[in-house]
Amino acid sequence: MGTNKYDLLIIGGGVSGSALLYLAARYSNIRHIGLIEKYAAPARVNSLSSNNSQTLHCGDIETNYTLEKALKVKRAASMLRNYATAQPDSHHIIYRYPKMVLGVGTRECELLRKRFEVFGPHYPNLRLLDKKAIAKIEPNVAMNGDRFRDEEIVALGSTDEYTAVNFEALSRSFVRQAQLLENKQVDIHYNETVHHIKIEDDRFLVETNGICYQTRSLVVCAGGHSLKLAHDLGYGLHYSCLPVAGSYYFTPQLLNGKVYTVQNDALPFAAIHGDPDVLVPGSTRIGPTALVLPILERYNYRTLPDFLKIFQFDRKVARVLWDLVKVKDIRNYMLKNMLFEIPVIRKFLFLKDARKILPALRLRDLKFARKVGGIRPQLIDKEHQKLLMGEAKIDTGIGAIFNMTPSPGGTSCLENAELDLRAVARYLDASIDDEGIQRDLLGEDTRHSNQDFTGRVLKGDDAA
């Protein structure tokens, strides 16, 4: 077998792995860096443009976030935005659309009003919108035909921010920029599937198809496959995996931007939302539905054996699943979403949910989005017998890090890469260009702020 030696080896060429590749090459003195990707190009699984919601999460309209969590997400979003807008092809990477979270009914509207009081001072572009103001931005949300919808509605949102990202294009940009740097060895190995990892003489040996890579440090960003490789080294054995798939529907272009709905705190799954698809102009994408599937990559049933290896069904896993099913809201939601996958009847069932956003939506406007939607590998902590809903990371402390589920998705790619790079640098006794990171990725940039909007409460008459 051939041998390739590195100081840092990254497994997985999605947005998380490619972000780390770029940061390590650009902002550290780590000289020999490699990336292994099982497919022929970056971002072919969950970072593929069709396999995620393409949302830049800033924390302001995600109602399941506390203020502390939201401000952390805001920092991560600013890093991504600052990188993307500095690229010559930024118009292919990051996009401006209106965005809002919609409250329907007295309880949800009151929740959003209270949330605005807490979050408004930290998000100067955030606006509290009444029914008329919503109609000026998203007429098909506020109106039911030629009249206002009957329910009470309120929204929190902004009208001119970067809100959408093509994470596939972003991944390609990270790889391209890393390879352009001089005085660094940056190798990309495509079409290489990692079969096994072991430790020998203080080095990690990563075995693929006919090649053994040697590395002093290792970061794995391969979704559910990361847990399988962690198990190879004897780490994370108390974790099992519950892969949750999301499916979507297309409609004609009925929304001008992103419209989210209020999260049900009893449901550990994403609330329905409507979005423009950056690669499908003239349409609106609505979803996701949620379905547990025994595979680690959507539409790739060859990943079933790897799922079975890490699922490790036992009494503790059964207890977690039973505790989920015992909750009425979760049980009903899971049963309903199973029906959402059945052809013919699924459109009838989904129409009611979609009408929360688009009250006049017609059945003929809905089209199931085939081959759209990815898989989120939710971890089950068997020791504490609970389902983990946030970020999942295993840092072995011996130079190997395994990332399973970034939170919130691709938005956190650069911030998560920064954390991993600092851990790797400590292990390798390498240095990091903190001033460069602060200047390029974290510096205050008023170009991205819309100075016309100051977080005040807007009525319909003064909504832009």
Side-chain angles (χ1 to χ4, degrees):
M1 288 194 297
T3 300
N4 293 271
K5 297 182 179 180
Y6 296 101
D7 298 312
L8 168 62
L9 184 62
I10 302 162
I11 298 175
V15 73
S16 295
S18 59
L20 177 58
L21 178 80
Y22 170 73
L23 281 194
R26 174 67 178 81
Y27 298 106
S28 82
N29 65 349
I30 301 173
R31 296 188 58 82
H32 304 288
I33 306 168
L35 183 145
I36 300 174
E37 165 57 44
K38 67 184 291 187
Y39 292 106
R44 305 312 298 166
V45 188
N46 285 337
S47 298
L48 190 68
S49 60
S50 59
N51 283 0
N52 55 77
S53 65
Q54 306 171 351
T55 298
L56 180 64
H57 295 279
C58 298
D60 49 357
I61 67 168
E62 290 80 13
T63 60
N64 55 322
Y65 290 173
T66 63
L67 180 60
E68 180 183 11
K69 168 72 171 177
L71 294 178
K72 182 178 183 295
V73 169
K74 183 181 179 183
R75 178 185 185 274
S78 70
M79 295 179 74
L80 190 159
R81 183 194 63 215
N82 288 335
Y83 170 84
T85 54
Q87 303 309 307
D89 58 344
S90 62
H91 59 289
H92 292 304
I93 300 174
I94 192 165
Y95 305 79
R96 289 182 183 268
Y97 296 106
K99 68 175 180 180
M100 65 178 67
V101 56
L102 176 70
V104 179
T106 302
R107 184 190 67 83
E108 290 186 358
C109 289
E110 185 60 25
L111 183 151
L112 292 187
R113 292 188 184 99
K114 291 180 179 178
R115 188 173 184 84
F116 179 70
E117 294 176 2
V118 176
F119 282 68
H122 301 275
Y123 291 89
N125 293 342
L126 190 65
R127 305 158 61 195
L128 180 62
L129 306 167
D130 68 0
K131 189 176 289 188
K132 290 183 179 180
I134 295 171
K136 288 182 175 290
I137 302 168
E138 296 287 1
N140 290 318
V141 173
M143 308 295 292
N144 190 347
D146 57 357
R147 60 184 176 84
F148 284 107
R149 62 194 294 175
D150 295 331
E151 311 101 316
E152 179 185 4
I153 59 171
V154 160
L156 297 182
S158 59
T159 59
D160 190 26
E161 291 185 355
Y162 288 104
T163 56
V165 178
N166 182 339
F167 291 105
E168 181 183 352
L170 179 64
S171 302
R172 292 197 302 265
S173 176
F174 285 144
V175 172
R176 183 169 59 251
Q177 293 301 320
Q179 290 182 302
L180 289 175
L181 295 169
E182 298 180 355
N183 302 319
K184 290 288 180 74
Q185 177 189 343
V186 177
D187 296 338
I188 313 297
H189 304 279
Y190 292 122
N191 297 308
E192 293 283 349
T193 300
V194 175
H195 297 298
H196 187 63
I197 300 174
K198 62 183 179 181
I199 301 175
E200 186 176 293
D201 298 329
D202 296 326
R203 296 269 178 154
F204 297 98
L205 303 185
V206 179
E207 299 175 0
T208 66
N209 307 325
I211 300 177
C212 180
Y213 298 92
Q214 294 187 25
T215 181
R216 296 169 60 202
S217 64
L218 176 70
V219 178
V220 184
C221 305
H225 297 286
S226 295
L227 185 57
K228 186 260 181 186
L229 296 176
H231 285 179
D232 274 358
L233 291 182
Y235 290 90
L237 297 176
H238 60 294
Y239 288 134
S240 179
C241 181
L242 189 69
V244 181
S247 295
Y248 293 85
Y249 290 78
F250 279 122
T251 74
Q253 187 176 344
L254 300 176
L255 296 176
N256 294 316
K258 291 180 172 287
V259 180
Y260 274 61
T261 53
V262 174
Q263 183 83 22
N264 182 344
D265 291 337
L267 296 175
F269 307 106
I272 186 174
H273 49 84
D275 308 84
D277 191 306
V278 301
L279 294 184
V280 187
S283 65
T284 291
R285 197 206 296 183
I286 301 181
T289 62
L291 181 69
V292 176
L293 291 177
I295 50 179
L296 299 183
E297 297 175 25
R298 191 72 188 272
Y299 313 111
N300 184 359
Y301 286 91
R302 290 175 298 177
T303 62
L304 172 62
D306 281 346
F307 163 74
L308 295 176
K309 290 177 183 177
I310 62 175
F311 186 48
Q312 303 182 94
F313 185 78
D314 58 17
R315 183 167 51 86
K316 291 180 179 179
V317 172
R319 175 64 183 272
V320 173
L321 298 179
W322 175 244
D323 286 343
L324 288 174
V325 172
K326 282 194 303 183
V327 178
K328 181 180 178 181
D329 283 357
I330 295 178
R331 181 174 65 250
N332 292 343
Y333 180 84
M334 293 175 70
L335 290 173
K336 181 175 70 173
N337 277 266
M338 290 175 64
L339 297 176
F340 281 160
E341 297 295 320
I342 301 176
V344 181
I345 69 169
R346 60 187 170 198
K347 285 207 303 183
F348 291 92
L349 297 172
F350 186 74
L351 182 63
K352 180 180 178 182
D353 285 4
R355 280 178 171 168
K356 183 173 184 178
I357 296 175
L358 296 163
L361 187 67
R362 301 166 300 182
L363 185 67
R364 66 175 179 266
D365 292 331
L366 277 176
K367 180 181 179 181
F368 185 74
R370 298 187 183 280
K371 298 292 184 178
V372 173
I375 278 186
R376 185 177 179 88
Q378 303 290 167
L379 292 197
I380 296 173
D381 184 339
K382 297 199 291 184
E383 283 186 357
H384 298 93
Q385 296 187 23
K386 65 179 182 180
L387 185 67
L388 302 181
M389 297 311 303
E391 177 183 327
K393 180 194 297 286
I394 300 172
D395 187 343
T396 64
I398 60 169
I401 299 172
F402 299 86
N403 293 298
M404 273 70 70
T405 305
S407 179
T411 296
S412 63
C413 63
L414 281 168
E415 183 178 67
N416 191 54
E418 180 192 6
L419 294 173
D420 288 348
L421 178 59
R422 294 188 184 283
V424 168
R426 286 193 296 270
Y427 181 78
L428 297 178
D429 196 24
S431 61
I432 294 176
D433 180 8
D434 289 302
E435 290 184 2
I437 292 177
Q438 180 66 37
R439 178 189 65 245
D440 299 340
L441 302 178
L442 291 169
E444 193 67 29
D445 190 348
T446 57
R447 291 175 304 167
H448 306 307
S449 299
N450 188 329
Q451 300 300 321
D452 295 331
F453 304 129
T454 57
R456 41 194 186 105
V457 179
L458 292 197
K459 304 295 185 181
D461 294 338
D462 54 41

